[in-house]
Amino acid sequence: MNRYPWLDGYLMDRPGAEQDYKLEWQWQRYLVRGRMFAAVCTPGAEHKLHAGRTMIILKCDPRLAEAFRAQYPDVVPGFYSDKKTWNSVYLDGQVPDQILRDMCDMSYALVTAKLTKTVRRELGLIP
């Protein structure tokens, strides 16, 4: 069960956000200019720890990634991602809405910071 019904709309409201479905991974991805800033998936039974639990995978500042994991049991190292810079949040868990929104915003900001100035200007992220 997803206790965050607002999540898809929130992610798609980011400037330049697009969605695709990565069939071989079975991930719903959220991209900006071809770069992933979020993904939603439900790992199968072969992933015992995560089996059947829908999660969102978000980029995170490495200094904060561990802090989120320590404070919220439903935040774990990024599933099939770099464990240092990506976190996964179980969508059936108890992470407060505002914290998840902040994590989504951080992921988007970290990814867009790597785009060129021209692209960031086109997206309205810099004047």
Side-chain angles (χ1 to χ4, degrees), residues 3-4 6 58 68 71-76 88-103:
R3 71 171 219 75
Y4 307 100
W6 50 265
L58 298 164
F68 282 125
Q71 186 166 3
Y72 302 104
D74 293 313
V75 178
V76 297
S88 295
V89 180
Y90 294 122
L91 297 182
D92 62 353
Q94 298 301 314
V95 174
D97 286 16
Q98 190 56 52
I99 298 299
L100 185 53
R101 282 186 181 94
D102 292 345
M103 292 176 78

mmCIF file with all atom_site columns, all heavy atoms in Angstrom, residues 3-4 6 58 68 71-76 88-103:
data_model
loop_
_atom_site.group_PDB
_atom_site.id
_atom_site.type_symbol
_atom_site.label_atom_id
_atom_site.label_alt_id
_atom_site.label_comp_id
_atom_site.label_asym_id
_atom_site.label_entity_id
_atom_site.label_seq_id
_atom_site.pdbx_PDB_ins_code
_atom_site.Cartn_x
_atom_site.Cartn_y
_atom_site.Cartn_z
_atom_site.occupancy
_atom_site.B_iso_or_equiv
_atom_site.pdbx_formal_charge
_atom_site.auth_seq_id
_atom_site.auth_comp_id
_atom_site.auth_asym_id
_atom_site.auth_atom_id
_atom_site.pdbx_PDB_model_num
ATOM 1   N N   . ARG A 1 3   ? 1.134  4.937  1.057  1.00 0.00 ? 3   ARG A N   1
ATOM 2   C CA  . ARG A 1 3   ? 0.469  5.912  1.919  1.00 0.00 ? 3   ARG A CA  1
ATOM 3   C C   . ARG A 1 3   ? 0.785  7.342  1.504  1.00 0.00 ? 3   ARG A C   1
ATOM 4   O O   . ARG A 1 3   ? 0.497  8.277  2.222  1.00 0.00 ? 3   ARG A O   1
ATOM 5   C CB  . ARG A 1 3   ? 0.794  5.646  3.391  1.00 0.00 ? 3   ARG A CB  1
ATOM 6   C CG  . ARG A 1 3   ? 2.196  5.964  3.841  1.00 0.00 ? 3   ARG A CG  1
ATOM 7   C CD  . ARG A 1 3   ? 2.286  5.847  5.358  1.00 0.00 ? 3   ARG A CD  1
ATOM 8   N NE  . ARG A 1 3   ? 3.091  6.839  6.000  1.00 0.00 ? 3   ARG A NE  1
ATOM 9   C CZ  . ARG A 1 3   ? 2.790  8.118  6.212  1.00 0.00 ? 3   ARG A CZ  1
ATOM 10  N NH1 . ARG A 1 3   ? 1.673  8.594  5.799  1.00 0.00 ? 3   ARG A NH1 1
ATOM 11  N NH2 . ARG A 1 3   ? 3.610  8.931  6.841  1.00 0.00 ? 3   ARG A NH2 1
ATOM 12  N N   . TYR A 1 4   ? 1.380  7.508  0.319  1.00 0.00 ? 4   TYR A N   1
ATOM 13  C CA  . TYR A 1 4   ? 1.751  8.824  -0.193 1.00 0.00 ? 4   TYR A CA  1
ATOM 14  C C   . TYR A 1 4   ? 1.081  9.048  -1.550 1.00 0.00 ? 4   TYR A C   1
ATOM 15  O O   . TYR A 1 4   ? 1.753  9.098  -2.584 1.00 0.00 ? 4   TYR A O   1
ATOM 16  C CB  . TYR A 1 4   ? 3.271  8.941  -0.318 1.00 0.00 ? 4   TYR A CB  1
ATOM 17  C CG  . TYR A 1 4   ? 4.015  8.601  0.957  1.00 0.00 ? 4   TYR A CG  1
ATOM 18  C CD1 . TYR A 1 4   ? 4.603  7.352  1.137  1.00 0.00 ? 4   TYR A CD1 1
ATOM 19  C CD2 . TYR A 1 4   ? 4.127  9.542  1.989  1.00 0.00 ? 4   TYR A CD2 1
ATOM 20  C CE1 . TYR A 1 4   ? 5.285  7.044  2.314  1.00 0.00 ? 4   TYR A CE1 1
ATOM 21  C CE2 . TYR A 1 4   ? 4.800  9.234  3.162  1.00 0.00 ? 4   TYR A CE2 1
ATOM 22  C CZ  . TYR A 1 4   ? 5.379  7.988  3.313  1.00 0.00 ? 4   TYR A CZ  1
ATOM 23  O OH  . TYR A 1 4   ? 6.042  7.687  4.473  1.00 0.00 ? 4   TYR A OH  1
ATOM 24  N N   . TRP A 1 6   ? 0.040  11.532 -3.009 1.00 0.00 ? 6   TRP A N   1
ATOM 25  C CA  . TRP A 1 6   ? 0.452  12.793 -3.637 1.00 0.00 ? 6   TRP A CA  1
ATOM 26  C C   . TRP A 1 6   ? 1.791  12.681 -4.364 1.00 0.00 ? 6   TRP A C   1
ATOM 27  O O   . TRP A 1 6   ? 2.186  13.574 -5.114 1.00 0.00 ? 6   TRP A O   1
ATOM 28  C CB  . TRP A 1 6   ? 0.575  13.892 -2.566 1.00 0.00 ? 6   TRP A CB  1
ATOM 29  C CG  . TRP A 1 6   ? 1.406  13.469 -1.375 1.00 0.00 ? 6   TRP A CG  1
ATOM 30  C CD1 . TRP A 1 6   ? 0.939  12.948 -0.191 1.00 0.00 ? 6   TRP A CD1 1
ATOM 31  C CD2 . TRP A 1 6   ? 2.842  13.484 -1.266 1.00 0.00 ? 6   TRP A CD2 1
ATOM 32  N NE1 . TRP A 1 6   ? 1.994  12.642 0.643  1.00 0.00 ? 6   TRP A NE1 1
ATOM 33  C CE2 . TRP A 1 6   ? 3.174  12.965 0.009  1.00 0.00 ? 6   TRP A CE2 1
ATOM 34  C CE3 . TRP A 1 6   ? 3.878  13.880 -2.106 1.00 0.00 ? 6   TRP A CE3 1
ATOM 35  C CZ2 . TRP A 1 6   ? 4.490  12.835 0.453  1.00 0.00 ? 6   TRP A CZ2 1
ATOM 36  C CZ3 . TRP A 1 6   ? 5.186  13.749 -1.666 1.00 0.00 ? 6   TRP A CZ3 1
ATOM 37  C CH2 . TRP A 1 6   ? 5.483  13.240 -0.402 1.00 0.00 ? 6   TRP A CH2 1
ATOM 38  N N   . LEU A 1 58  ? 15.801 7.603  -4.179 1.00 0.00 ? 58  LEU A N   1
ATOM 39  C CA  . LEU A 1 58  ? 16.099 9.027  -4.312 1.00 0.00 ? 58  LEU A CA  1
ATOM 40  C C   . LEU A 1 58  ? 17.577 9.294  -4.075 1.00 0.00 ? 58  LEU A C   1
ATOM 41  O O   . LEU A 1 58  ? 18.183 8.728  -3.165 1.00 0.00 ? 58  LEU A O   1
ATOM 42  C CB  . LEU A 1 58  ? 15.288 9.832  -3.288 1.00 0.00 ? 58  LEU A CB  1
ATOM 43  C CG  . LEU A 1 58  ? 13.768 9.757  -3.422 1.00 0.00 ? 58  LEU A CG  1
ATOM 44  C CD1 . LEU A 1 58  ? 13.100 10.249 -2.153 1.00 0.00 ? 58  LEU A CD1 1
ATOM 45  C CD2 . LEU A 1 58  ? 13.305 10.539 -4.636 1.00 0.00 ? 58  LEU A CD2 1
ATOM 46  N N   . PHE A 1 68  ? 19.291 10.014 7.650  1.00 0.00 ? 68  PHE A N   1
ATOM 47  C CA  . PHE A 1 68  ? 17.915 9.598  7.359  1.00 0.00 ? 68  PHE A CA  1
ATOM 48  C C   . PHE A 1 68  ? 17.725 8.126  7.712  1.00 0.00 ? 68  PHE A C   1
ATOM 49  O O   . PHE A 1 68  ? 16.708 7.754  8.300  1.00 0.00 ? 68  PHE A O   1
ATOM 50  C CB  . PHE A 1 68  ? 17.577 9.808  5.879  1.00 0.00 ? 68  PHE A CB  1
ATOM 51  C CG  . PHE A 1 68  ? 17.278 11.227 5.502  1.00 0.00 ? 68  PHE A CG  1
ATOM 52  C CD1 . PHE A 1 68  ? 17.986 11.841 4.475  1.00 0.00 ? 68  PHE A CD1 1
ATOM 53  C CD2 . PHE A 1 68  ? 16.284 11.954 6.130  1.00 0.00 ? 68  PHE A CD2 1
ATOM 54  C CE1 . PHE A 1 68  ? 17.709 13.145 4.095  1.00 0.00 ? 68  PHE A CE1 1
ATOM 55  C CE2 . PHE A 1 68  ? 16.003 13.259 5.765  1.00 0.00 ? 68  PHE A CE2 1
ATOM 56  C CZ  . PHE A 1 68  ? 16.719 13.860 4.738  1.00 0.00 ? 68  PHE A CZ  1
ATOM 57  N N   . GLN A 1 71  ? 17.480 7.704  11.491 1.00 0.00 ? 71  GLN A N   1
ATOM 58  C CA  . GLN A 1 71  ? 16.277 8.262  12.120 1.00 0.00 ? 71  GLN A CA  1
ATOM 59  C C   . GLN A 1 71  ? 14.997 7.530  11.718 1.00 0.00 ? 71  GLN A C   1
ATOM 60  O O   . GLN A 1 71  ? 14.057 7.447  12.509 1.00 0.00 ? 71  GLN A O   1
ATOM 61  C CB  . GLN A 1 71  ? 16.146 9.745  11.770 1.00 0.00 ? 71  GLN A CB  1
ATOM 62  C CG  . GLN A 1 71  ? 15.003 10.410 12.510 1.00 0.00 ? 71  GLN A CG  1
ATOM 63  C CD  . GLN A 1 71  ? 15.072 11.917 12.447 1.00 0.00 ? 71  GLN A CD  1
ATOM 64  O OE1 . GLN A 1 71  ? 15.935 12.498 11.803 1.00 0.00 ? 71  GLN A OE1 1
ATOM 65  N NE2 . GLN A 1 71  ? 14.152 12.557 13.131 1.00 0.00 ? 71  GLN A NE2 1
ATOM 66  N N   . TYR A 1 72  ? 14.956 7.007  10.487 1.00 0.00 ? 72  TYR A N   1
ATOM 67  C CA  . TYR A 1 72  ? 13.721 6.393  9.986  1.00 0.00 ? 72  TYR A CA  1
ATOM 68  C C   . TYR A 1 72  ? 13.998 4.958  9.528  1.00 0.00 ? 72  TYR A C   1
ATOM 69  O O   . TYR A 1 72  ? 14.709 4.741  8.546  1.00 0.00 ? 72  TYR A O   1
ATOM 70  C CB  . TYR A 1 72  ? 13.157 7.210  8.811  1.00 0.00 ? 72  TYR A CB  1
ATOM 71  C CG  . TYR A 1 72  ? 12.865 8.639  9.186  1.00 0.00 ? 72  TYR A CG  1
ATOM 72  C CD1 . TYR A 1 72  ? 13.718 9.667  8.787  1.00 0.00 ? 72  TYR A CD1 1
ATOM 73  C CD2 . TYR A 1 72  ? 11.752 8.962  9.962  1.00 0.00 ? 72  TYR A CD2 1
ATOM 74  C CE1 . TYR A 1 72  ? 13.465 10.984 9.139  1.00 0.00 ? 72  TYR A CE1 1
ATOM 75  C CE2 . TYR A 1 72  ? 11.496 10.266 10.321 1.00 0.00 ? 72  TYR A CE2 1
ATOM 76  C CZ  . TYR A 1 72  ? 12.355 11.274 9.910  1.00 0.00 ? 72  TYR A CZ  1
ATOM 77  O OH  . TYR A 1 72  ? 12.099 12.565 10.273 1.00 0.00 ? 72  TYR A OH  1
ATOM 78  N N   . PRO A 1 73  ? 13.428 3.966  10.193 1.00 0.00 ? 73  PRO A N   1
ATOM 79  C CA  . PRO A 1 73  ? 13.645 2.567  9.805  1.00 0.00 ? 73  PRO A CA  1
ATOM 80  C C   . PRO A 1 73  ? 13.186 2.260  8.381  1.00 0.00 ? 73  PRO A C   1
ATOM 81  O O   . PRO A 1 73  ? 13.665 1.298  7.779  1.00 0.00 ? 73  PRO A O   1
ATOM 82  C CB  . PRO A 1 73  ? 12.811 1.771  10.814 1.00 0.00 ? 73  PRO A CB  1
ATOM 83  C CG  . PRO A 1 73  ? 12.561 2.689  11.952 1.00 0.00 ? 73  PRO A CG  1
ATOM 84  C CD  . PRO A 1 73  ? 12.608 4.082  11.398 1.00 0.00 ? 73  PRO A CD  1
ATOM 85  N N   . ASP A 1 74  ? 12.272 3.066  7.835  1.00 0.00 ? 74  ASP A N   1
ATOM 86  C CA  . ASP A 1 74  ? 11.760 2.834  6.485  1.00 0.00 ? 74  ASP A CA  1
ATOM 87  C C   . ASP A 1 74  ? 12.612 3.500  5.410  1.00 0.00 ? 74  ASP A C   1
ATOM 88  O O   . ASP A 1 74  ? 12.230 3.518  4.234  1.00 0.00 ? 74  ASP A O   1
ATOM 89  C CB  . ASP A 1 74  ? 10.306 3.291  6.378  1.00 0.00 ? 74  ASP A CB  1
ATOM 90  C CG  . ASP A 1 74  ? 9.392  2.430  7.231  1.00 0.00 ? 74  ASP A CG  1
ATOM 91  O OD1 . ASP A 1 74  ? 9.520  1.189  7.153  1.00 0.00 ? 74  ASP A OD1 1
ATOM 92  O OD2 . ASP A 1 74  ? 8.576  2.976  7.985  1.00 0.00 ? 74  ASP A OD2 1
ATOM 93  N N   . VAL A 1 75  ? 13.750 4.047  5.789  1.00 0.00 ? 75  VAL A N   1
ATOM 94  C CA  . VAL A 1 75  ? 14.734 4.565  4.837  1.00 0.00 ? 75  VAL A CA  1
ATOM 95  C C   . VAL A 1 75  ? 15.937 3.624  4.895  1.00 0.00 ? 75  VAL A C   1
ATOM 96  O O   . VAL A 1 75  ? 16.512 3.409  5.959  1.00 0.00 ? 75  VAL A O   1
ATOM 97  C CB  . VAL A 1 75  ? 15.159 6.011  5.172  1.00 0.00 ? 75  VAL A CB  1
ATOM 98  C CG1 . VAL A 1 75  ? 16.227 6.496  4.197  1.00 0.00 ? 75  VAL A CG1 1
ATOM 99  C CG2 . VAL A 1 75  ? 13.952 6.949  5.171  1.00 0.00 ? 75  VAL A CG2 1
ATOM 100 N N   . VAL A 1 76  ? 16.266 3.059  3.748  1.00 0.00 ? 76  VAL A N   1
ATOM 101 C CA  . VAL A 1 76  ? 17.356 2.080  3.661  1.00 0.00 ? 76  VAL A CA  1
ATOM 102 C C   . VAL A 1 76  ? 18.296 2.474  2.523  1.00 0.00 ? 76  VAL A C   1
ATOM 103 O O   . VAL A 1 76  ? 17.954 3.317  1.693  1.00 0.00 ? 76  VAL A O   1
ATOM 104 C CB  . VAL A 1 76  ? 16.787 0.656  3.448  1.00 0.00 ? 76  VAL A CB  1
ATOM 105 C CG1 . VAL A 1 76  ? 15.937 0.217  4.648  1.00 0.00 ? 76  VAL A CG1 1
ATOM 106 C CG2 . VAL A 1 76  ? 15.982 0.559  2.161  1.00 0.00 ? 76  VAL A CG2 1
ATOM 107 N N   . SER A 1 88  ? 16.543 4.456  -0.410 1.00 0.00 ? 88  SER A N   1
ATOM 108 C CA  . SER A 1 88  ? 15.221 3.953  -0.756 1.00 0.00 ? 88  SER A CA  1
ATOM 109 C C   . SER A 1 88  ? 14.305 4.191  0.432  1.00 0.00 ? 88  SER A C   1
ATOM 110 O O   . SER A 1 88  ? 14.715 4.013  1.584  1.00 0.00 ? 88  SER A O   1
ATOM 111 C CB  . SER A 1 88  ? 15.270 2.454  -1.066 1.00 0.00 ? 88  SER A CB  1
ATOM 112 O OG  . SER A 1 88  ? 16.039 2.213  -2.222 1.00 0.00 ? 88  SER A OG  1
ATOM 113 N N   . VAL A 1 89  ? 13.078 4.581  0.132  1.00 0.00 ? 89  VAL A N   1
ATOM 114 C CA  . VAL A 1 89  ? 12.078 4.819  1.167  1.00 0.00 ? 89  VAL A CA  1
ATOM 115 C C   . VAL A 1 89  ? 10.894 3.910  0.882  1.00 0.00 ? 89  VAL A C   1
ATOM 116 O O   . VAL A 1 89  ? 10.311 3.955  -0.212 1.00 0.00 ? 89  VAL A O   1
ATOM 117 C CB  . VAL A 1 89  ? 11.609 6.296  1.176  1.00 0.00 ? 89  VAL A CB  1
ATOM 118 C CG1 . VAL A 1 89  ? 10.564 6.524  2.266  1.00 0.00 ? 89  VAL A CG1 1
ATOM 119 C CG2 . VAL A 1 89  ? 12.793 7.248  1.343  1.00 0.00 ? 89  VAL A CG2 1
ATOM 120 N N   . TYR A 1 90  ? 10.555 3.052  1.842  1.00 0.00 ? 90  TYR A N   1
ATOM 121 C CA  . TYR A 1 90  ? 9.396  2.180  1.678  1.00 0.00 ? 90  TYR A CA  1
ATOM 122 C C   . TYR A 1 90  ? 8.124  3.013  1.700  1.00 0.00 ? 90  TYR A C   1
ATOM 123 O O   . TYR A 1 90  ? 7.902  3.807  2.623  1.00 0.00 ? 90  TYR A O   1
ATOM 124 C CB  . TYR A 1 90  ? 9.348  1.127  2.785  1.00 0.00 ? 90  TYR A CB  1
ATOM 125 C CG  . TYR A 1 90  ? 10.479 0.137  2.733  1.00 0.00 ? 90  TYR A CG  1
ATOM 126 C CD1 . TYR A 1 90  ? 11.332 -0.015 3.816  1.00 0.00 ? 90  TYR A CD1 1
ATOM 127 C CD2 . TYR A 1 90  ? 10.706 -0.651 1.608  1.00 0.00 ? 90  TYR A CD2 1
ATOM 128 C CE1 . TYR A 1 90  ? 12.376 -0.930 3.785  1.00 0.00 ? 90  TYR A CE1 1
ATOM 129 C CE2 . TYR A 1 90  ? 11.747 -1.562 1.560  1.00 0.00 ? 90  TYR A CE2 1
ATOM 130 C CZ  . TYR A 1 90  ? 12.574 -1.698 2.656  1.00 0.00 ? 90  TYR A CZ  1
ATOM 131 O OH  . TYR A 1 90  ? 13.606 -2.599 2.619  1.00 0.00 ? 90  TYR A OH  1
ATOM 132 N N   . LEU A 1 91  ? 7.272  2.807  0.684  1.00 0.00 ? 91  LEU A N   1
ATOM 133 C CA  . LEU A 1 91  ? 6.064  3.623  0.571  1.00 0.00 ? 91  LEU A CA  1
ATOM 134 C C   . LEU A 1 91  ? 4.913  3.117  1.425  1.00 0.00 ? 91  LEU A C   1
ATOM 135 O O   . LEU A 1 91  ? 3.857  3.742  1.475  1.00 0.00 ? 91  LEU A O   1
ATOM 136 C CB  . LEU A 1 91  ? 5.652  3.743  -0.901 1.00 0.00 ? 91  LEU A CB  1
ATOM 137 C CG  . LEU A 1 91  ? 6.688  4.451  -1.784 1.00 0.00 ? 91  LEU A CG  1
ATOM 138 C CD1 . LEU A 1 91  ? 6.176  4.579  -3.204 1.00 0.00 ? 91  LEU A CD1 1
ATOM 139 C CD2 . LEU A 1 91  ? 7.064  5.814  -1.212 1.00 0.00 ? 91  LEU A CD2 1
ATOM 140 N N   . ASP A 1 92  ? 5.128  2.018  2.140  1.00 0.00 ? 92  ASP A N   1
ATOM 141 C CA  . ASP A 1 92  ? 4.132  1.555  3.112  1.00 0.00 ? 92  ASP A CA  1
ATOM 142 C C   . ASP A 1 92  ? 4.585  1.890  4.528  1.00 0.00 ? 92  ASP A C   1
ATOM 143 O O   . ASP A 1 92  ? 4.021  1.416  5.496  1.00 0.00 ? 92  ASP A O   1
ATOM 144 C CB  . ASP A 1 92  ? 3.889  0.053  2.971  1.00 0.00 ? 92  ASP A CB  1
ATOM 145 C CG  . ASP A 1 92  ? 5.135  -0.783 3.237  1.00 0.00 ? 92  ASP A CG  1
ATOM 146 O OD1 . ASP A 1 92  ? 6.247  -0.208 3.411  1.00 0.00 ? 92  ASP A OD1 1
ATOM 147 O OD2 . ASP A 1 92  ? 5.014  -2.021 3.268  1.00 0.00 ? 92  ASP A OD2 1
ATOM 148 N N   . GLY A 1 93  ? 5.617  2.705  4.632  1.00 0.00 ? 93  GLY A N   1
ATOM 149 C CA  . GLY A 1 93  ? 6.243  3.000  5.913  1.00 0.00 ? 93  GLY A CA  1
ATOM 150 C C   . GLY A 1 93  ? 5.712  4.231  6.606  1.00 0.00 ? 93  GLY A C   1
ATOM 151 O O   . GLY A 1 93  ? 4.617  4.707  6.307  1.00 0.00 ? 93  GLY A O   1
ATOM 152 N N   . GLN A 1 94  ? 6.533  4.739  7.514  1.00 0.00 ? 94  GLN A N   1
ATOM 153 C CA  . GLN A 1 94  ? 6.097  5.818  8.398  1.00 0.00 ? 94  GLN A CA  1
ATOM 154 C C   . GLN A 1 94  ? 6.952  7.081  8.303  1.00 0.00 ? 94  GLN A C   1
ATOM 155 O O   . GLN A 1 94  ? 7.011  7.854  9.247  1.00 0.00 ? 94  GLN A O   1
ATOM 156 C CB  . GLN A 1 94  ? 6.077  5.311  9.845  1.00 0.00 ? 94  GLN A CB  1
ATOM 157 C CG  . GLN A 1 94  ? 5.111  4.171  10.074 1.00 0.00 ? 94  GLN A CG  1
ATOM 158 C CD  . GLN A 1 94  ? 3.683  4.549  9.723  1.00 0.00 ? 94  GLN A CD  1
ATOM 159 O OE1 . GLN A 1 94  ? 3.206  5.609  10.102 1.00 0.00 ? 94  GLN A OE1 1
ATOM 160 N NE2 . GLN A 1 94  ? 3.002  3.695  8.986  1.00 0.00 ? 94  GLN A NE2 1
ATOM 161 N N   . VAL A 1 95  ? 7.613  7.301  7.178  1.00 0.00 ? 95  VAL A N   1
ATOM 162 C CA  . VAL A 1 95  ? 8.374  8.531  7.009  1.00 0.00 ? 95  VAL A CA  1
ATOM 163 C C   . VAL A 1 95  ? 7.373  9.676  6.871  1.00 0.00 ? 95  VAL A C   1
ATOM 164 O O   . VAL A 1 95  ? 6.446  9.588  6.064  1.00 0.00 ? 95  VAL A O   1
ATOM 165 C CB  . VAL A 1 95  ? 9.300  8.451  5.776  1.00 0.00 ? 95  VAL A CB  1
ATOM 166 C CG1 . VAL A 1 95  ? 9.984  9.780  5.511  1.00 0.00 ? 95  VAL A CG1 1
ATOM 167 C CG2 . VAL A 1 95  ? 10.324 7.341  5.960  1.00 0.00 ? 95  VAL A CG2 1
ATOM 168 N N   . PRO A 1 96  ? 7.513  10.738 7.660  1.00 0.00 ? 96  PRO A N   1
ATOM 169 C CA  . PRO A 1 96  ? 6.568  11.857 7.569  1.00 0.00 ? 96  PRO A CA  1
ATOM 170 C C   . PRO A 1 96  ? 6.526  12.457 6.157  1.00 0.00 ? 96  PRO A C   1
ATOM 171 O O   . PRO A 1 96  ? 7.552  12.523 5.472  1.00 0.00 ? 96  PRO A O   1
ATOM 172 C CB  . PRO A 1 96  ? 7.111  12.869 8.582  1.00 0.00 ? 96  PRO A CB  1
ATOM 173 C CG  . PRO A 1 96  ? 7.923  12.058 9.542  1.00 0.00 ? 96  PRO A CG  1
ATOM 174 C CD  . PRO A 1 96  ? 8.513  10.945 8.722  1.00 0.00 ? 96  PRO A CD  1
ATOM 175 N N   . ASP A 1 97  ? 5.340  12.891 5.753  1.00 0.00 ? 97  ASP A N   1
ATOM 176 C CA  . ASP A 1 97  ? 5.151  13.455 4.420  1.00 0.00 ? 97  ASP A CA  1
ATOM 177 C C   . ASP A 1 97  ? 6.164  14.558 4.115  1.00 0.00 ? 97  ASP A C   1
ATOM 178 O O   . ASP A 1 97  ? 6.746  14.579 3.030  1.00 0.00 ? 97  ASP A O   1
ATOM 179 C CB  . ASP A 1 97  ? 3.739  14.016 4.262  1.00 0.00 ? 97  ASP A CB  1
ATOM 180 C CG  . ASP A 1 97  ? 2.680  12.931 4.108  1.00 0.00 ? 97  ASP A CG  1
ATOM 181 O OD1 . ASP A 1 97  ? 2.956  11.755 4.419  1.00 0.00 ? 97  ASP A OD1 1
ATOM 182 O OD2 . ASP A 1 97  ? 1.567  13.272 3.685  1.00 0.00 ? 97  ASP A OD2 1
ATOM 183 N N   . GLN A 1 98  ? 6.361  15.478 5.033  1.00 0.00 ? 98  GLN A N   1
ATOM 184 C CA  . GLN A 1 98  ? 7.258  16.602 4.751  1.00 0.00 ? 98  GLN A CA  1
ATOM 185 C C   . GLN A 1 98  ? 8.701  16.137 4.582  1.00 0.00 ? 98  GLN A C   1
ATOM 186 O O   . GLN A 1 98  ? 9.434  16.676 3.752  1.00 0.00 ? 98  GLN A O   1
ATOM 187 C CB  . GLN A 1 98  ? 7.172  17.684 5.835  1.00 0.00 ? 98  GLN A CB  1
ATOM 188 C CG  . GLN A 1 98  ? 7.905  18.956 5.446  1.00 0.00 ? 98  GLN A CG  1
ATOM 189 C CD  . GLN A 1 98  ? 7.414  19.540 4.124  1.00 0.00 ? 98  GLN A CD  1
ATOM 190 O OE1 . GLN A 1 98  ? 6.226  19.761 3.915  1.00 0.00 ? 98  GLN A OE1 1
ATOM 191 N NE2 . GLN A 1 98  ? 8.337  19.786 3.198  1.00 0.00 ? 98  GLN A NE2 1
ATOM 192 N N   . ILE A 1 99  ? 9.110  15.141 5.319  1.00 0.00 ? 99  ILE A N   1
ATOM 193 C CA  . ILE A 1 99  ? 10.469 14.607 5.172  1.00 0.00 ? 99  ILE A CA  1
ATOM 194 C C   . ILE A 1 99  ? 10.619 13.983 3.786  1.00 0.00 ? 99  ILE A C   1
ATOM 195 O O   . ILE A 1 99  ? 11.631 14.197 3.098  1.00 0.00 ? 99  ILE A O   1
ATOM 196 C CB  . ILE A 1 99  ? 10.800 13.585 6.283  1.00 0.00 ? 99  ILE A CB  1
ATOM 197 C CG1 . ILE A 1 99  ? 10.761 14.250 7.666  1.00 0.00 ? 99  ILE A CG1 1
ATOM 198 C CG2 . ILE A 1 99  ? 12.133 12.899 6.023  1.00 0.00 ? 99  ILE A CG2 1
ATOM 199 C CD1 . ILE A 1 99  ? 11.762 15.381 7.847  1.00 0.00 ? 99  ILE A CD1 1
ATOM 200 N N   . LEU A 1 100 ? 9.621  13.217 3.348  1.00 0.00 ? 100 LEU A N   1
ATOM 201 C CA  . LEU A 1 100 ? 9.695  12.614 2.019  1.00 0.00 ? 100 LEU A CA  1
ATOM 202 C C   . LEU A 1 100 ? 9.691  13.694 0.943  1.00 0.00 ? 100 LEU A C   1
ATOM 203 O O   . LEU A 1 100 ? 10.439 13.605 -0.031 1.00 0.00 ? 100 LEU A O   1
ATOM 204 C CB  . LEU A 1 100 ? 8.562  11.616 1.809  1.00 0.00 ? 100 LEU A CB  1
ATOM 205 C CG  . LEU A 1 100 ? 8.605  10.841 0.492  1.00 0.00 ? 100 LEU A CG  1
ATOM 206 C CD1 . LEU A 1 100 ? 9.954  10.152 0.276  1.00 0.00 ? 100 LEU A CD1 1
ATOM 207 C CD2 . LEU A 1 100 ? 7.471  9.838  0.427  1.00 0.00 ? 100 LEU A CD2 1
ATOM 208 N N   . ARG A 1 101 ? 8.892  14.728 1.117  1.00 0.00 ? 101 ARG A N   1
ATOM 209 C CA  . ARG A 1 101 ? 8.919  15.850 0.156  1.00 0.00 ? 101 ARG A CA  1
ATOM 210 C C   . ARG A 1 101 ? 10.308 16.480 0.115  1.00 0.00 ? 101 ARG A C   1
ATOM 211 O O   . ARG A 1 101 ? 10.836 16.766 -0.966 1.00 0.00 ? 101 ARG A O   1
ATOM 212 C CB  . ARG A 1 101 ? 7.884  16.902 0.528  1.00 0.00 ? 101 ARG A CB  1
ATOM 213 C CG  . ARG A 1 101 ? 6.479  16.560 0.148  1.00 0.00 ? 101 ARG A CG  1
ATOM 214 C CD  . ARG A 1 101 ? 5.519  17.735 0.413  1.00 0.00 ? 101 ARG A CD  1
ATOM 215 N NE  . ARG A 1 101 ? 4.176  17.373 0.057  1.00 0.00 ? 101 ARG A NE  1
ATOM 216 C CZ  . ARG A 1 101 ? 3.270  16.890 0.902  1.00 0.00 ? 101 ARG A CZ  1
ATOM 217 N NH1 . ARG A 1 101 ? 3.564  16.738 2.181  1.00 0.00 ? 101 ARG A NH1 1
ATOM 218 N NH2 . ARG A 1 101 ? 2.068  16.570 0.476  1.00 0.00 ? 101 ARG A NH2 1
ATOM 219 N N   . ASP A 1 102 ? 10.902 16.701 1.281  1.00 0.00 ? 102 ASP A N   1
ATOM 220 C CA  . ASP A 1 102 ? 12.246 17.286 1.340  1.00 0.00 ? 102 ASP A CA  1
ATOM 221 C C   . ASP A 1 102 ? 13.273 16.375 0.649  1.00 0.00 ? 102 ASP A C   1
ATOM 222 O O   . ASP A 1 102 ? 14.168 16.865 -0.047 1.00 0.00 ? 102 ASP A O   1
ATOM 223 C CB  . ASP A 1 102 ? 12.675 17.531 2.788  1.00 0.00 ? 102 ASP A CB  1
ATOM 224 C CG  . ASP A 1 102 ? 11.868 18.621 3.468  1.00 0.00 ? 102 ASP A CG  1
ATOM 225 O OD1 . ASP A 1 102 ? 11.162 19.401 2.775  1.00 0.00 ? 102 ASP A OD1 1
ATOM 226 O OD2 . ASP A 1 102 ? 11.934 18.700 4.717  1.00 0.00 ? 102 ASP A OD2 1
ATOM 227 N N   . MET A 1 103 ? 13.129 15.075 0.832  1.00 0.00 ? 103 MET A N   1
ATOM 228 C CA  . MET A 1 103 ? 14.049 14.133 0.194  1.00 0.00 ? 103 MET A CA  1
ATOM 229 C C   . MET A 1 103 ? 13.885 14.159 -1.332 1.00 0.00 ? 103 MET A C   1
ATOM 230 O O   . MET A 1 103 ? 14.873 14.098 -2.072 1.00 0.00 ? 103 MET A O   1
ATOM 231 C CB  . MET A 1 103 ? 13.836 12.723 0.742  1.00 0.00 ? 103 MET A CB  1
ATOM 232 C CG  . MET A 1 103 ? 14.254 12.564 2.194  1.00 0.00 ? 103 MET A CG  1
ATOM 233 S SD  . MET A 1 103 ? 13.883 10.926 2.858  1.00 0.00 ? 103 MET A SD  1
ATOM 234 C CE  . MET A 1 103 ? 15.217 9.980  2.133  1.00 0.00 ? 103 MET A CE  1
#
